[in-house]
Amino acid sequence: MGSRLKTFLLLLVLVMVATGFLSWPNRFQIIDSLGYQFQSTTKHTSEPALKSHIEEQDTVNDSNVNDVTTHASGSLSRMALSDIKHTYQNNEMVKIKILLFDRWNRSKTRGGDMLVVWMKDPQRGAASAGTVTDHGNGTYTGVLRTLWTGRAIIRAAMISSRERMTHIYRSFRNGYFGKNIVCTFRSNMTKETTSGYMDMRYMKKHPFCNLTADYFGVTFYSGKPQTKGLGCHDWTETSLPHNYMTFGADTRWFAERTSTEYLTDFITINISSNIHEKDRTVIPTTPCSQRNFRDTWLATPPVGFSYNNTWRPLSCWNSVPVDTYNQCLANRSLRLFGDSTARQMFGALYSMLGFTITKGPPEVDRSKKRNFYQGPTVCEAYHSKYNYTVYLFPHGFPMWFAEANKTITQPVFARLDDIPPGSTDIILINLYAHFHFTPIHIYRARVHRTRLAIENLLQRSPGIKIAIKSPHKFSVPKPVTPLGGMWGPAYENILKKEFVNLYDRVLYLDIWDMTVAFENEEIHPNGALTNMMLQVFFGFICGK
């Protein structure tokens, strides 16, 4: 009996080990990763590559959201290569498996946490981003592509936990709005301020003014002024300061941790090449000015990579050097619409092209420099030698404004409607960070109205060139609002779905991979990144 019992126990252990071994690939849904070679250009499909993002309806039934011990931990989570080799050929796919653990070192059993992966070689100034698949059970697969020879360090980060997104969605549903909108009504010497709202659900004061028609058809309400002689038609100005979240003892965790957590694990791989040593990177053969705009919407990541700290699109090579920007802009206008990141672009062009500011922030004493962060305002510049004008316009509500009149706060689509027929302007539109303070349907509605205006503009001005700037990745150290790079994937998906019928006519300036690869943490990317964004923009636009 003793011998039979030992045999039985031995067989039982073998079965358990075999079962665990066989379940490992299923848990990570590992696909065969032996030597699949990418083409030398970015892969394009007939459908846009949408990013993974947890939707509000997926979080409605989430429980124990404030139990921080169940939240994913970057320091305790793990990642490893899906195969056993550490040496890859150039232009080869690399797969990694990621297993998230909570703060009590227990395996996460559901998905919804948002991850990014990238690889870098600081010595070569090389970096590129990958993609992440959420398997819905706490495991993720990262896919990267080797784009240079030498070595690469693979990293991963969680740009938002599922619980953080759930808390934001619930806050919006419970009446939180990220802007304290103040409407000013004036008549002669009389003045009164009331609260404004961009959604009727938040309207708390009666009677109220429906200012939707006054604000170009964008849903907008305010409390009705009670001062004698003032009416709804006397609305003149608006302020939109931030409205910070309030936290109780059970929700304080939201503000106590940075919105991005880096996994402490990293992987080092070697990348060799079968070709001559001088061919150290993937090199496309087509100039970006000859690529169809459709390719920029349909490209699957990575859409580019850095080498020698210079960003290189994968589908084409940039044939437009900085010293030819003036010739590209000659005898036309460049219109930049957006927020402070669009102001960064305006400021960078001011520094490199030598045009003259005719409207905008004044020069700072002594230094003679201009503070383009002074506040949302309309800026205008002119280059007399090349006869072009550069405009900077804020994108309108819900952007931060301080007692700004309706002329300043116009939405982008209203300004597009004012562009005359036959225009050959170049236009760049950025709608992003300020919308984080509002429920996502407000962003979706604004993108829709903007797309309709672009369609009309292209019909009356077929020679115009338009670019939509993508979201960028950034982090917030101690969040007290819904602001954060975790909205990037959701906003990108909205843009790609909305503009599907304009892919051939509008450029998608995809900078998400760039900001992931360079580990950007700032809401305002540094000057080097801003210049790279402009290089990609002009590389596609000029020469068309």
Side-chain angles (χ1 to χ4, degrees):
M1 290 293 291
S3 176
R4 290 181 179 178
L5 180 59
K6 290 180 180 179
T7 301
F8 173 77
L9 292 174
L10 178 60
L11 289 172
L12 180 62
V13 170
L14 290 173
V15 169
M16 292 175 66
V17 170
T19 300
F21 177 78
L22 291 172
S23 66
W24 176 261
N26 292 331
R27 181 162 177 74
F28 286 94
Q29 298 185 17
I30 297 174
I31 305 171
D32 176 29
S33 58
L34 295 177
Y36 178 80
Q37 295 292 320
F38 283 79
Q39 299 298 316
S40 60
T41 56
T42 304
K43 181 180 177 182
H44 300 89
T45 64
S46 59
E47 298 293 332
L50 301 180
K51 287 184 167 59
S52 174
H53 185 273
I54 189 167
E55 303 287 348
E56 181 176 3
Q57 60 267 24
D58 299 324
T59 67
V60 171
N61 297 319
D62 283 8
S63 59
N64 300 321
V65 173
N66 295 321
D67 182 358
V68 295
T69 67
T70 65
H71 297 186
S73 166
S75 61
L76 296 176
S77 297
R78 295 289 175 258
M79 69 175 183
L81 289 169
S82 292
D83 55 31
I84 60 175
K85 66 176 183 177
H86 280 258
T87 298
Y88 293 82
Q89 294 296 309
N90 196 13
N91 206 16
E92 186 177 355
M93 181 171 63
V94 180
K95 287 191 175 181
I96 62 172
K97 50 193 178 184
I98 302 172
L99 180 59
L100 294 187
F101 287 84
D102 68 18
R103 298 182 185 279
W104 276 12
N105 207 22
R106 299 168 297 198
S107 295
K108 295 281 288 183
T109 57
R110 67 176 180 182
D113 298 287
M114 298 176 59
L115 302 178
V116 292
V117 296
W118 67 98
M119 62 169 62
K120 62 180 181 178
D121 182 353
Q123 290 185 340
R124 291 177 170 81
S128 67
T131 61
V132 178
T133 299
D134 181 351
H135 300 304
N137 59 1
T139 69
Y140 300 76
T141 298
V143 179
L144 302 107
R145 177 179 172 183
T146 56
L147 299 169
W148 61 85
T149 56
R151 72 174 193 130
I153 302 168
I154 299 174
R155 297 293 312 272
M158 179 173 62
I159 59 175
S160 178
S161 66
R162 178 188 181 110
E163 292 78 12
R164 184 175 294 279
M165 291 305 303
T166 300
H167 179 80
I168 293 172
Y169 286 136
R170 288 182 179 176
S171 296
F172 283 139
R173 286 201 304 272
N174 292 332
Y176 168 76
F177 198 84
K179 300 285 185 174
N180 277 316
I181 305 177
V182 180
C183 296
T184 301
F185 297 82
R186 294 179 186 271
S187 178
N188 298 323
M189 300 298 293
T190 306
K191 171 184 174 182
E192 184 179 338
T193 60
T194 69
S195 297
Y197 304 90
M198 296 186 70
D199 190 319
M200 191 61 183
R201 293 181 302 170
Y202 301 100
M203 188 69 229
K204 302 174 183 178
K205 186 175 181 180
H206 296 272
F208 63 87
C209 296
N210 185 347
L211 302 176
T212 301
D214 297 87
Y215 194 58
F216 309 95
V218 174
T219 301
F220 192 58
Y221 305 91
S222 76
K224 188 174 183 178
Q226 300 300 299
T227 303
K228 186 177 179 180
L230 283 179
C232 295
H233 60 279
D234 294 313
W235 172 47
T236 57
E237 301 157 25
T238 313
S239 298
L240 286 88
H242 300 326
N243 178 28
Y244 299 109
M245 288 176 157
T246 56
F247 304 100
D250 58 338
T251 58
R252 197 172 295 130
W253 59 268
F254 186 93
E256 290 177 344
R257 296 199 302 268
T258 180
S259 60
T260 297
E261 287 193 49
Y262 286 78
L263 271 66
T264 52
D265 269 5
F266 64 90
I267 301 167
T268 301
I269 63 171
N270 298 310
I271 308 168
S272 61
S273 177
N274 290 326
I275 54 180
H276 196 274
E277 183 65 17
K278 70 177 181 180
D279 296 316
R280 303 177 64 87
T281 65
V282 174
I283 303 175
T285 58
T286 304
C288 294
S289 60
Q290 296 181 18
R291 299 295 301 189
N292 191 304
F293 284 166
R294 172 173 290 272
D295 297 341
T296 63
W297 295 92
L298 299 179
T300 57
V303 300
F305 70 106
S306 169
Y307 197 78
N308 289 331
N309 292 311
T310 301
W311 189 254
R312 305 181 179 190
L314 266 184
S315 64
C316 56
W317 59 278
N318 193 334
S319 59
V320 182
V322 174
D323 58 10
T324 65
Y325 289 1
N326 280 323
Q327 292 93 320
C328 176
L329 295 173
N331 303 312
R332 62 205 309 182
S333 293
L334 170 63
R335 301 172 185 264
L336 306 175
F337 297 94
D339 55 19
S340 50
T341 57
R343 291 206 305 275
Q344 283 185 282
M345 289 183 155
F346 186 91
L349 290 173
Y350 170 70
S351 298
M352 66 178 69
L353 298 184
F355 47 63
T356 302
I357 304 294
T358 56
K359 180 190 295 185
E363 291 181 343
V364 179
D365 292 340
R366 296 182 182 177
S367 68
K368 298 299 182 181
K369 293 183 178 179
R370 295 180 184 267
N371 180 13
F372 292 103
Y373 293 92
Q374 191 170 13
T377 185
V378 173
C379 295
E380 185 176 329
Y382 180 69
H383 201 299
S384 57
K385 179 179 179 180
Y386 291 94
N387 187 36
Y388 68 79
T389 304
V390 182
Y391 299 94
L392 171 67
F393 300 104
H395 63 54
F397 299 166
M399 191 170 176
W400 178 89
F401 290 102
E403 295 187 352
N405 63 45
K406 287 184 285 186
T407 302
I408 296 294
T409 62
Q410 288 184 59
V412 173
F413 65 81
R415 295 189 184 277
L416 295 179
D417 289 341
D418 290 337
I419 296 177
S423 171
T424 58
D425 288 357
I426 298 174
I427 293 174
L428 184 143
I429 299 171
N430 175 48
L431 303 173
Y432 187 40
H434 287 268
F435 287 89
H436 296 186
F437 297 85
T438 72
I440 199 168
H441 72 268
I442 290 178
Y443 179 78
R444 186 179 287 109
R446 188 66 55 83
V447 169
H448 177 70
R449 289 292 302 274
T450 304
R451 192 263 299 168
L452 293 177
I454 289 173
E455 282 186 342
N456 292 332
L457 176 57
L458 288 170
Q459 287 179 2
R460 66 181 185 272
S461 299
I464 210 160
K465 304 301 178 189
I466 303 174
I468 302 295
K469 181 169 170 278
S470 84
H472 64 279
K473 179 258 179 188
F474 69 95
S475 182
V476 178
K478 291 186 177 181
V480 290
T481 70
L483 180 71
M486 64 277 189
W487 290 108
Y491 282 20
E492 176 174 301
N493 292 349
I494 290 172
L495 289 169
K496 288 189 172 182
K497 290 177 182 178
E498 184 65 43
F499 280 85
V500 68
N501 293 323
L502 290 177
Y503 283 1
D504 290 319
R505 305 292 306 278
V506 176
L507 169 71
Y508 187 60
L509 182 60
D510 192 342
I511 61 168
W512 179 262
D513 281 7
M514 182 190 298
T515 52
V516 170
F518 278 100
E519 301 178 0
N520 178 65
E521 292 292 296
E522 302 300 324
I523 188 171
H524 299 117
N526 62 36
L529 283 175
T530 300
N531 289 340
M532 290 182 203
M533 296 172 195
L534 286 168
Q535 288 164 10
V536 177
F537 171 62
F538 280 101
F540 276 98
I541 288 291
C542 297
K544 287 195 178 293

